[in-house]
Amino acid sequence: MKQLPRCLIMMMLVILTSELIGQDIQLKKTEINQDIKLLVPTEFLPMGPQDIRNKFISYRQPLAGFTSEDRSTDLVVNVSKTPWSNQDMVLLQDFYENNIRNLFDEVEFYRNQLDTINGRTYAAFEFTSLVKGDPNSLRNKAAIRDYRYVMYAVEDFEVYVFTFYCPAQFKERWRATAEDIMSNIEFK
């Protein structure tokens, strides 16, 4: 008789977890500019000026930014000048891998490769990262663990960075969606 409540609780947890992981997230093709189209979750909102100020320390605004209603999950497209050309993708991949490893205290890569999507080569990185907290800090006491899927492309000596990120605890909910978004980038 004591097994029944425990069994019932386990069944409810399994059902609830499968519901959260299996949610069908709808995507809408969105024009970022005349050259770039991207699938964006329909539940995402365009980032406003306050979102951008809160999330980016760079003086340069992203080309486009979208965020979930709770502001925990983001999809961002950035562009900046670079000395790289699209002939340097192997070198660029090594450079950005080292850059990623230096940005975080711990990195676990799921994808670290060159991908070709719609005829264009991208340096693709999918990973979870950890930034350790500082107990002596007033602001950053807790560790931060994120899931990220990042694609780099080069065009006319500009690097385009497509980034999807969320807290690591939401990775299973968003991972398939991030893969779908990144594998369907349209970039003329």
Side-chain angles (χ1 to χ4, degrees):
M1 202 62 171
K2 288 184 179 184
Q3 291 293 348
L4 183 61
R6 188 179 309 168
C7 183
L8 188 58
I9 290 171
M10 290 302 290
M11 283 179 40
M12 288 176 61
L13 283 173
V14 167
I15 291 170
L16 199 70
T17 302
S18 65
E19 282 293 314
L20 288 174
I21 291 174
Q23 282 183 340
D24 188 27
I25 297 169
Q26 300 295 314
L27 299 172
K28 177 184 176 191
K29 188 178 287 189
T30 303
E31 187 173 299
I32 304 305
N33 64 21
Q34 65 185 19
D35 295 325
I36 300 171
K37 292 181 184 161
L38 199 61
L39 295 177
V40 176
T42 56
E43 64 189 67
F44 276 27
L45 308 167
M47 285 184 177
Q50 187 64 40
D51 294 312
I52 292 169
R53 275 193 300 275
N54 289 342
K55 293 182 185 241
F56 301 102
I57 56 174
S58 172
Y59 66 92
R60 184 174 298 164
Q61 266 190 238
L63 203 56
F66 303 91
T67 189
S68 58
E69 285 186 41
D70 67 359
R71 306 302 196 258
S72 69
T73 304
D74 297 329
L75 176 60
V76 179
V77 181
N78 280 308
V79 62
S80 62
K81 296 287 183 197
T82 185
W84 309 103
S85 78
N86 55 3
Q87 304 300 313
D88 300 321
M89 291 305 290
V90 171
L91 190 58
L92 181 132
Q93 179 191 7
D94 289 341
F95 174 82
Y96 280 113
E97 176 189 353
N98 288 320
N99 195 23
I100 289 167
R101 288 186 189 282
N102 287 323
L103 282 172
F104 304 103
D105 294 314
E106 293 176 19
V107 177
E108 180 182 354
F109 284 102
Y110 307 108
R111 178 185 308 262
N112 177 356
Q113 63 195 40
L114 294 178
D115 285 341
T116 301
I117 300 165
N118 296 321
R120 181 178 295 275
T121 303
Y122 295 83
F125 301 95
E126 181 186 15
F127 58 95
T128 52
S129 61
L130 173 72
V131 175
K132 295 177 181 172
D134 179 359
N136 298 319
S137 172
L138 293 174
R139 192 169 177 199
N140 300 321
K141 290 185 184 276
I144 300 170
R145 186 175 299 277
D146 286 326
Y147 164 76
R148 296 173 189 261
Y149 199 131
V150 185
M151 303 276 277
Y152 296 89
V154 176
E155 180 68 28
D156 295 329
F157 297 98
E158 292 183 317
V159 64
Y160 289 79
V161 185
F162 302 84
T163 307
F164 182 95
Y165 58 95
C166 66
Q169 68 262 29
F170 299 147
K171 177 181 88 173
E172 292 309 316
R173 176 172 188 245
W174 288 106
R175 191 172 186 189
T177 301
E179 168 72 28
D180 203 15
I181 291 167
M182 296 303 181
S183 64
N184 285 290
I185 295 171
E186 291 181 24
F187 190 173
K188 294 181 187 174

